[in-house]
Amino acid sequence: MARFFSQTRIARSDSSELQDASVLVNDEGVIERVGPGLDAPEDAEVLDCSGMILVPGMFDLHVHAREPGAEHKETLSTCAEAALHGGVTGMVLMPDTSPPVDTGNLVKSLQDLISESSPVQMLVSGCLTKKREGTELAGFFGMANRDVAMLTDSDRTIPCPDLLRRCMEYAKDFDLLVTSHCDTPALTKGGAINEGHVSYRLGLPGIPAISQEIAIDRDIRVAQQTGARLHLQQISTANAVKAVGCAKEAGTSVTCEVSPHHLLLSEEEIEDYNTHFKLDPPLRLPRDVEALVAGLLDDTIDAIATNHAPHTEFEKSSDFGSAPFGVTGLETAVLALYDGFVRKGVFGWDLLIRKYSDQPRAIVGLPAVRIEEGQRAEFFLFDPEGETEITPDSMKTKSPVTPFLGRTFSGAIRETVLG
Ligand SMILES: [Zn+2]
């Protein structure tokens, strides 16, 4: 049945103004008409959307869906539900499943599984090295033939710069994007949170900022030398933003992402050894948070990506030092960013859509999603007058672990419409 979204406002990436309009989606899920003063067709279901905002579906470049291999944490199906609940209609899955996605056949079998399990677009990424072991090249040729979105060893750094160079040379030959998590294991060692006064006070081993910064410098150098396209994940320090800015000025083909957590929280927020604040990279200093927001506004930072990394409450309930890194993000990203930035006027819906919908899609070669006639319906209804309390029961992910648990955000996502 056709659906008529009456008297609403549309958010767009190319305008800071919301556009007054009604939207008719036909029974094939295609946007048939958009405009002010439209009359609802007699055979359509009419939804009064006055006060609501229609926002294009978001796209997350950095998701760990855990299937196959760790279905106790998350499955493709629960990951898709969480995404729709958070206004996210597309994503790239990291290859750190069990087995790791390192051949064309494994890419194909995961793509088949996705088409059976998920209504949400899930692009598959592949490993740079076999089994993510950092010793031999993975099956680039087969994976390129299966249209992988990017190649990455996920949260493992390739230890040998010469092997990284060969990875980038091959990636360039196949025109594949190389994605790096940016960590220097010799510096991160057994660290749990940012190295600084909070780690000293809590008596926890620290991860210094240079652990990320040295890796970024190295990976940018190798990208410059090979000409490969490089994407840097989860930028977390002021110097990291500076390094990416310099590389861009020098004409390097590099993009980077930041998480909502690193834009909104610093190490100061870590309280009572709460493992819901244990992230990789760790939450940094307030001045790093300021630099990340500035980097987002001045376009040094291209994209927002959550690093949705579910672990069960049981796994996260061990002590801070031994609990796994990572939290979920798909369901809280839009709400947290709206509450923390859009509502306060730091930036508008236009920038949020550019950074969490248009540019992430562009990085993996997809067109932007628009709420326009002729396009497939792919948007969510946002109620700026509503509010959303983040509780385990309110979440669709299998592992409702997030530093935002217990928070109440202004705004509510009422529905995500997908085709
Ligand atoms: Zn990750």
Side-chain angles (χ1 to χ4, degrees):
M1 189 186 200
R3 301 179 84 197
F4 188 72
F5 300 85
S6 161
Q7 312 250 338
T8 184
R9 289 171 296 163
I10 298 174
R12 313 169 53 98
S13 58
D14 56 2
S15 168
S16 57
E17 303 288 318
L18 298 173
Q19 172 195 355
D20 289 318
S22 296
V23 175
L24 175 65
V25 176
N26 70 20
D27 52 10
E28 284 166 9
V30 175
I31 299 172
E32 200 164 283
R33 295 194 66 191
V34 177
L38 296 182
D39 290 324
E42 274 175 20
D43 55 348
E45 176 198 359
V46 179
L47 297 100
D48 178 8
C49 295
S50 44
M52 299 274 186
I53 303 171
L54 258 56
V55 186
M58 300 298 176
F59 188 93
D60 204 308
L61 282 170
H62 190 161
V63 173
H64 302 267
R66 306 301 193 200
E67 184 176 355
E71 289 84 350
H72 62 292
K73 297 175 195 268
E74 192 83 291
T75 64
L76 293 167
S77 148
T78 57
C79 184
E81 275 185 60
L84 290 175
H85 193 224
V88 177
T89 56
M91 66 184 78
V92 179
L93 302 184
M94 292 299 105
D96 60 336
T97 46
S98 184
V101 182
D102 60 1
T103 66
N105 285 342
L106 287 164
V107 171
K108 170 80 168 68
S109 67
L110 184 52
Q111 285 168 337
D112 290 346
L113 203 55
I114 289 166
S115 61
E116 289 162 18
S117 323
S118 171
V120 172
Q121 181 179 34
M122 292 177 168
L123 303 188
V124 175
S125 62
C127 301
L128 284 163
T129 68
K130 274 187 192 166
K131 296 191 166 62
R132 302 165 62 229
E133 284 173 347
T135 50
E136 274 177 85
L137 290 190
F140 278 39
F141 180 73
M143 293 192 290
N145 279 339
R146 296 286 179 194
D147 293 328
V148 275
M150 55 175 69
L151 294 180
T152 176
D153 274 359
S154 194
D155 59 354
R156 287 195 196 154
T157 299
I158 293 178
C160 169
D162 185 45
L163 180 61
L164 177 66
R165 183 168 71 160
R166 275 195 290 137
C167 285
M168 287 209 199
E169 282 166 351
Y170 274 98
K172 172 148 174 50
D173 288 345
F174 289 107
D175 192 27
L176 288 166
L177 178 68
V178 173
T179 299
S180 168
H181 184 77
C182 310
D183 170 65
T184 309
L187 286 161
T188 298
K189 287 184 272 183
I193 62 170
N194 184 49
E195 183 181 282
H197 71 270
V198 175
S199 68
Y200 299 137
R201 179 161 56 79
L202 297 178
L204 290 168
I207 301 172
I210 53 167
S211 173
Q212 174 166 87
E213 292 156 2
I214 288 174
I216 287 178
D217 288 345
R218 181 191 78 157
D219 291 3
I220 284 174
R221 292 286 175 211
V222 182
Q224 286 169 335
Q225 204 260 334
T226 57
R229 289 187 292 132
L230 174 66
H231 176 72
L232 304 169
Q233 294 183 318
Q234 305 287 294
I235 295 288
S236 68
T237 76
N239 281 335
V241 178
K242 236 184 256 176
V244 175
C246 289
K248 286 187 168 185
E249 259 172 51
T252 315
S253 183
V254 62
T255 53
C256 69
E257 68 183 38
V258 64
S259 83
H261 305 115
H262 292 89
L263 287 169
L264 287 158
L265 302 167
S266 76
E267 62 167 19
E268 312 271 329
E269 265 88 10
I270 302 171
E271 43 185 53
D272 304 331
Y273 299 90
N274 182 349
T275 58
H276 289 199
F277 290 80
K278 186 174 179 183
L279 310 181
D280 178 19
L283 296 171
R284 304 286 189 184
L285 305 173
R287 68 163 182 267
D288 293 311
V289 174
E290 275 172 41
L292 291 167
V293 175
L296 191 73
L297 295 175
D298 73 15
D299 282 337
T300 308
I301 298 176
D302 303 270
I304 294 169
T306 62
N307 190 12
H308 180 85
H311 297 288
T312 62
E313 186 58 57
F314 176 73
E315 290 163 322
K316 278 294 223 183
S317 67
S318 59
D319 66 281
F320 203 102
S322 40
F325 287 98
V327 296
T328 62
L330 287 169
E331 284 169 272
T332 49
V334 167
L335 292 165
L337 293 164
Y338 173 79
D339 185 85
F341 296 114
V342 178
R343 187 175 64 91
K344 293 177 182 158
V346 180
F347 53 75
W349 278 108
D350 52 335
L351 184 124
L352 179 52
I353 296 166
R354 277 205 302 283
K355 299 294 179 182
Y356 197 29
S357 179
D358 290 6
Q359 284 174 198
R361 285 187 169 91
I363 287 170
V364 292
L366 296 174
V369 163
R370 301 261 181 257
I371 304 173
E372 287 173 356
E373 287 173 13
Q375 302 289 310
R376 177 171 176 261
E378 195 167 342
F379 54 77
F380 61 90
L381 268 70
F382 189 83
D383 178 2
E385 301 302 323
E387 54 181 35
T388 307
E389 191 187 354
I390 307 299
T391 65
D393 289 343
S394 74
M395 295 175 78
K396 307 283 185 194
T397 170
K398 218 166 179 180
S399 300
V401 169
T402 157
F404 299 129
L405 218 52
R407 290 269 294 266
T408 299
F409 291 125
S410 294
I413 295 169
R414 298 295 183 206
E415 186 191 343
T416 299
V417 179
L418 193 58

